[in-house]
């Protein structure tokens, strides 16, 4: 059986009546069916009560990107500027889900907003608008481009930690990535180790140092170009291998019976 991979959903208005819907981009579904080699399971933003019910049934967890931002009350930050999109139902689901997944050992891959959630869940904080800070880049530059190839194209390089796991996958010290975010790591959570940095010093990749298994975060979107980018594909393949191993470990005791 292929591993079951949970995909975090956002709450978004839909249709002429702006009815709240729980949604995740098709790109995450396709990447799970593709290089991850799993079965996608969309996880509604239903709050902390979902965690003990669903997590023991999953073999892996993908925390998706989103236009919304983590509510600053979770890291004692200042209120967002007017008009900043938030999704507190998602926060109420993903933050406890992250902590429980790491404790249990469920493989976890956090992408963009997901990496920010990972940092906040473990005690870190966020810069809310990196582009407004001195000597920092505008990491959101392509996000409003109408041409998909421009919006999701490579925007800057990321310097990878020597002898780190991502460096091993890339076979290089510098990799080009896309960039569609305003927020980013301010104070890195104590349990996280940085694995990559943008030219302005923004943390672009992390891992949980004391995790029982795979627990990585990347600030860019490898799900956009895995079909043509070897490095992006290798991230999902490595995650998929971890999910298969976790699934086999979970079911081994039952098979022995």
């Amino acid at each position: 059986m292929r591993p079951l991979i949970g995909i975090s959903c956002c709450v978004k208005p839909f249709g002429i009546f702006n009815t709240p819907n729980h949604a995740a981009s098709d790109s995450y579904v396709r990447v799970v069916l593709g290089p991850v080699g799993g079965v996608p399971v969309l996880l509604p933003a239903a709050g902390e009560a979902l965690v003990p019910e669903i997590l023991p049934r999953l073999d892996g967890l993908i925390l998706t990107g989103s236009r919304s931002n983590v509510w600053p009350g979770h890291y004692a930050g200042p209120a967002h500027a007017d008009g900043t999109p938030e999704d507190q139902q998602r926060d109420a689901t993903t933050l406890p889900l992250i902590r429980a997944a790491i404790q249990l050992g469920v493989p976890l891959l956090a992408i963009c907003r997901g990496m920010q959630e990972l940092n906040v869940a473990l005690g870190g904080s966020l810069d809310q608008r990196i582009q407004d800070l001195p000597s920092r880049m505008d990491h959101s530059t392509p996000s409003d481009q109408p041409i998909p190839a421009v919006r999701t194209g490579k925007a800057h390089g990321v310097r990878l930690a020597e002898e780190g796991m991502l460096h091993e996958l890339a076979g290089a010290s510098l990799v080009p990535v896309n960039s569609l975010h305003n927020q980013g790591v301010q104070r890195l959570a104590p349990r996280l180790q940085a694995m990559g940095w943008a030219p302005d010093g923004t943390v672009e990749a992390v891992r949980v140092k004391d995790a029982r298994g795979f627990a990585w975060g990347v600030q860019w979107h490898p799900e956009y170009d895995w079909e043509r980018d070897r490095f992006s594909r290798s991230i999902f393949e490595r995650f998929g291998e971890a999910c298969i191993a976790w699934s086999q470990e979970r079911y081994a005791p039952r098979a022995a019976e």
Side-chain angles (χ1 to χ4, degrees), residues 23-24 34 43 49 71 99 109-110 122 128-129 133 136 143 152 155-156 166 168 174 183 199 220 228-229 249 252:
L43 305 179
W71 181 57
R99 291 186 281 263
L109 177 59
L122 298 182
Q128 295 181 5
R129 286 179 55 84
L133 301 175
R136 303 290 285 278
S143 62
T152 64
H156 63 75
L166 281 174
E168 173 192 334
L174 187 68
Q183 302 205 326
W220 64 92
R228 59 186 182 276
D229 186 279
E249 179 181 331

Side-chain angles (χ1 to χ4, degrees), residues 51-81:
V51 175
E53 298 295 333
I54 190 63
L55 189 59
R57 309 180 192 192
L58 298 178
D59 301 306
L61 176 63
I62 290 180
L63 298 163
T64 63
S66 175
R67 294 189 68 87
S68 67
N69 295 287
V70 179
W71 181 57
H74 290 299
Y75 56 90
H80 282 141

Side-chain angles (χ1 to χ4, degrees), residues 15-111:
I16 60 174
F17 299 113
N18 289 325
T19 305
N21 276 231
H22 296 257
S25 170
D26 179 59
S27 59
Y28 298 103
V29 172
R30 289 189 295 105
V31 81
V32 168
L33 292 172
V36 174
V39 176
V41 179
L42 301 189
L43 305 179
E48 188 168 0
L50 174 73
V51 175
E53 298 295 333
I54 190 63
L55 189 59
R57 309 180 192 192
L58 298 178
D59 301 306
L61 176 63
I62 290 180
L63 298 163
T64 63
S66 175
R67 294 189 68 87
S68 67
N69 295 287
V70 179
W71 181 57
H74 290 299
Y75 56 90
H80 282 141
D82 289 346
T84 301
E86 296 178 348
D87 188 345
Q88 293 195 41
Q89 284 182 244
R90 170 170 169 154
D91 297 339
T93 307
T94 54
L95 298 183
L97 187 61
I98 289 167
R99 291 186 281 263
I102 293 171
Q103 181 178 4
L104 189 61
V106 178
L108 178 154
L109 177 59
I111 296 172

